Amino acid sequence: MRRLLVLGAGTAGTMVVNKLRRRLNRDQWRITVVEERDRHFYQPGFLFLPFRRYAPKQVSKPTERLLDDSVELIRGQIWQVDAAHDRVVLSDGCELPYDYLVIATGVRPRPDQTPGMLDGGQWRRSIFDFYTYDGAVALAPALDRFDGGRLVVHITDMPIKCPVAPLEFAFLADDFLRRRGLRDRVDLTYATPLPGAFTKPIAAARLGSMLDERKIAVEPDFLVERVDGHKLVSYDEREIPFDLLVTVPLNVGAEFVARSGLGDELNLVPVDRHTLLATGYDNIFALGDANDIPTSKAGSVAHFAAEVFTANFVEHAAGRPMTGSFDGHANCFVESGHGKGLLIDFNYDTEPLPGTYPVPGLGPFRLLRETAVNHWGKLAFRWMYWHLLLPGRPVPLPAHMSMAGKNRPEE
Amino acid sequence: MPVTTIDGHRIHVDEEGFLTSYDEWSPELAERLAAQIGVTLTDAHWKALTFLRQDYARQGETATLRRVSTQGGIPVKELFTLFPKKPAKKMAYIAGLPKPHGCV
Ligand SMILES: Cc1cc2nc3c(=O)[nH]c(=O)nc-3n(C[C@H](O)[C@H](O)[C@H](O)COP(=O)(O)OP(=O)(O)OC[C@H]3O[C@@H](n4cnc5c(N)ncnc54)[C@H](O)[C@@H]3O)c2cc1C
């Protein structure tokens, strides 16, 4: 029996084991996945929990139910990968040998990495994150109580998963406060280490003007050094006071990645950006947020990459060259409040451009434009996630980005 | 790709003036580039620039501030003192490397 071991049953891990289970002969392959949690979270739903648009029970399911019956699930915490001996060690000492390893343990927010954030006495009192289930749930009553003052939405450092999520949070907060008649009593600030709302110029201009329209002040190039009581302090000594801080802490890969000597300074696994094979190894891949590819950390990227990876893996395991090449394709709905949203679609080489998706000229989705259909697309995605993406069913969206339907604005 | 001339040397740069050819850089050029953005190079600056050049040669990408601090051993705070306001950008500019991605 050949043995494929997958670490993490999040978005990437679940899709990959379910897809490969169909492609790899059951008599020849044993597929095992290791996961420390017993529930799988639909993380895009965390955005809506603070505003009570989703109920907590809508964003999670038992992990076990999402995996094909013939995939072996081991509940446990990964301690270390011993790549020299092709085995993984769990915290309880259990050892799991493998022929092929897929690291899909994602990234997680680490408020402990910024002095004063977790340990300053304000965590979950006036400082919240919505990148974890607990954080998003705890923020709901804090927003209910908030009746004016300084609300700061903040990104600690890049990269983060779903880089548009903090912007969406700011747009939804603006909408939420308007509905409650509180908007005039609130100073809303968006503090980012980037020079503007987004990295790529066309989307940055569009999203930046959406912040302006909503009178959300932007504090660019703001790299936080520490949190001092009710103030964010940057390395260049700027200070941003807050009454309520919604921060995205530093996003870091799993500790075991560092412990195993497989990670960079953020515990991300360096990989070949087209095949996702870990640099220096022939039998270790890193999928989803856990790797260092230069595109967004997003479920959509995990999905498109998994399509390419699955076909490649079958070739690789048969001793043939991998013929697929991942292009960095990402697409993200950007919820903008007032029942509307945008869509962005891009890859390693092409920045988000205006146009239509997925059918050129028809859409129904509009790229870089606020429409109600885009908002419905975002909401429909939850159903797609549970019923099509995670089970690894074919989704009628090409893995590679297409230029059809896109137009480049004149300089 | 635009070409510009500094001290009689022709160098290739991008629209923002970042060098696009690793080999066209020299320490003398770095002094000139630094002067253009108001930075006077000291040993402490050189430690950062040297790390950046060497790391780029290995990684093929310009190091982030976090990388310079964890792998290069220079605290982020110090980088802000050495290259005020936009250290990542300024260091890359003087070291003759592409502008850091800032990641997507
Ligand atoms: C608020 C928010 C909004 C988002 N919105 C969108 C969106 O609109 N569109 C989009 O495409 N993406 C979105 N994302 C991003 C998306 O959720 C992630 O990119 C995606 O989940 C990445 O999948 P992954 O498998 O790499 O990591 P994850 O899904 O995070 O899975 C990692 C798994 O590994 C497990 N694990 C980690 N370490 C260990 C260990 N040591 N031992 C055992 N198990 C371990 C974890 O428990 C987890 O189950 C959003 C994310 C957030 C937080």
Side-chain angles (χ1 to χ4, degrees):
Chain A
M1 272 297 234
R2 299 174 88 186
R3 189 156 183 165
L4 169 65
L5 183 60
V6 176
L7 306 182
T11 306
T14 304
M15 283 188 305
V16 158
V17 292
N18 288 337
K19 274 178 185 293
L20 280 176
R21 190 61 286 179
R22 277 187 223 129
R23 302 280 294 261
L24 300 174
N25 187 316
R26 280 165 207 244
D27 302 329
Q28 290 167 11
W29 285 88
R30 181 160 165 192
I31 303 182
T32 304
V33 52
V34 189
E35 170 60 54
E36 64 187 355
R37 299 188 188 145
D38 55 7
R39 295 192 80 75
H40 178 113
F41 290 102
Y42 174 61
Q43 298 174 40
F46 294 173
L47 175 67
F48 295 109
L49 290 177
F51 304 102
R52 300 192 190 278
R53 303 253 191 117
Y54 277 175
K57 66 174 189 312
Q58 288 177 296
V59 302
S60 84
K61 291 195 181 187
T63 303
E64 206 181 326
R65 286 223 319 257
L66 302 167
L67 300 170
D68 186 287
D69 286 343
S70 59
V71 168
E72 181 190 19
L73 171 64
I74 296 182
R75 275 289 308 281
Q77 189 186 45
I78 301 138
W79 175 254
Q80 191 169 15
V81 177
D82 176 4
H85 300 99
D86 292 339
R87 67 181 174 204
V88 167
V89 185
L90 305 187
S91 298
D92 62 6
C94 180
E95 290 187 3
L96 307 169
Y98 61 82
D99 297 302
Y100 293 93
L101 183 71
V102 173
I103 300 176
T105 36
V107 292
R108 59 180 67 182
R110 291 285 300 270
D112 58 306
Q113 298 292 303
T114 301
M117 195 177 271
L118 188 64
D119 52 5
Q122 287 305 312
W123 186 248
R124 305 250 162 108
R125 295 161 77 105
S126 62
I127 305 179
F128 292 84
D129 83 301
F130 66 101
Y131 267 47
T132 55
Y133 174 77
D134 293 345
V137 168
L139 182 49
L143 273 178
D144 289 341
R145 283 195 302 271
F146 185 68
D147 61 1
R150 286 172 295 227
L151 171 58
V152 178
V153 182
H154 166 246
I155 303 171
T156 301
D157 204 353
M158 301 303 277
I160 56 171
K161 44 186 159 186
C162 199
V164 292
L167 273 168
E168 299 181 271
F169 187 92
F171 295 147
L172 289 178
D174 169 76
D175 185 3
F176 175 87
L177 295 166
R178 269 176 217 281
R179 281 170 203 264
R180 308 192 139 207
L182 287 172
R183 186 61 184 90
D184 293 341
R185 285 158 55 184
V186 179
D187 285 331
L188 196 49
T189 300
Y190 186 76
T192 170
L194 296 173
F198 196 67
T199 42
K200 305 292 174 158
I202 296 171
R206 180 75 206 99
L207 296 166
S209 65
M210 286 171 60
L211 289 167
D212 289 347
E213 285 157 19
R214 291 162 176 78
K215 301 208 166 31
I216 301 172
V218 180
E219 188 73 32
D221 294 310
F222 188 90
L223 196 60
V224 71
E225 183 189 11
R226 61 181 197 278
V227 182
D228 188 355
H230 280 84
K231 264 183 338 218
L232 289 168
V233 185
S234 69
Y235 281 104
D236 55 2
E237 274 139 36
R238 275 177 282 164
E239 294 186 347
I240 304 181
F242 59 81
D243 296 301
L244 181 61
L245 174 67
V246 178
T247 186
V248 179
L250 187 70
N251 280 209
V252 179
E255 281 293 316
F256 79 83
V257 172
R259 207 175 284 127
S260 315
L262 288 169
D264 66 9
E265 65 280 5
L266 289 169
N267 301 352
L268 303 176
V269 184
V271 295
D272 177 290
R273 64 169 74 174
H274 299 298
T275 62
L276 311 174
L277 194 57
T279 310
Y281 297 89
D282 193 42
N283 64 343
I284 303 180
F285 293 84
L287 289 189
D289 296 345
N291 64 32
D292 75 337
I293 59 176
T295 184
S296 285
K297 298 205 171 298
S300 63
V301 172
H303 164 233
F304 295 132
E307 300 266 306
V308 177
F309 164 79
T310 313
N312 273 349
F313 184 80
V314 174
E315 292 171 336
H316 189 65
R320 297 195 302 268
M322 293 188 266
T323 53
S325 174
F326 182 54
D327 66 350
H329 189 193
N331 59 39
C332 311
F333 285 106
V334 185
E335 194 61 16
S336 60
H338 312 279
K340 291 188 177 171
L342 281 75
L343 180 65
I344 55 178
D345 190 60
F346 55 103
N347 70 8
Y348 291 141
D349 307 315
T350 307
E351 65 175 307
L353 295 170
T356 46
Y357 184 89
V359 186
L362 288 178
F365 302 120
R366 303 297 299 260
L367 297 169
L368 272 180
R369 242 184 68 188
E370 285 179 80
T371 68
V373 176
N374 290 341
H375 162 72
W376 291 113
K378 173 133 188 154
L379 294 187
F381 202 75
R382 186 165 56 97
W383 186 91
M384 277 196 34
Y385 183 81
W386 293 125
H387 300 284
L388 296 178
L389 291 178
L390 287 186
R393 299 217 168 85
V395 174
L397 295 176
H400 288 279
M401 197 206 73
S402 160
M403 279 307 285
K406 294 194 171 64
N407 39 65
R408 206 175 270 282
E410 297 301 318
E411 298 280 314
Chain B
M1 235 10 124
V3 179
T4 178
T5 307
I6 294 186
D7 277 353
H9 297 286
R10 282 163 58 78
I11 51 169
H12 291 81
V13 294
D14 68 10
E15 302 82 35
E16 290 179 274
F18 287 82
L19 263 68
T20 52
S21 241
Y22 184 83
D23 295 331
E24 289 176 357
W25 180 90
S26 67
E28 299 75 51
L29 183 64
E31 302 275 359
R32 290 295 305 262
L33 295 170
Q36 277 178 5
I37 55 170
V39 175
T40 312
L41 298 181
T42 64
D43 287 354
H45 292 92
W46 276 111
K47 185 175 170 206
L49 296 173
T50 308
F51 171 78
L52 221 64
R53 295 275 308 169
Q54 287 171 351
D55 189 70
Y56 183 86
R58 280 191 302 267
Q59 304 287 329
E61 261 169 67
T62 307
T64 59
L65 291 185
R66 185 166 299 276
R67 189 168 173 87
V68 180
S69 98
T70 54
Q71 316 271 315
I74 310 168
V76 175
K77 186 82 185 172
E78 190 179 330
L79 296 172
F80 269 88
T81 316
L82 294 170
F83 306 92
K85 296 259 189 285
K86 299 194 179 201
K89 239 178 126 169
K90 287 186 176 171
M91 276 192 302
Y93 179 75
I94 301 171
L97 302 174
K99 183 175 152 186
H101 283 317
C103 300
V104 189

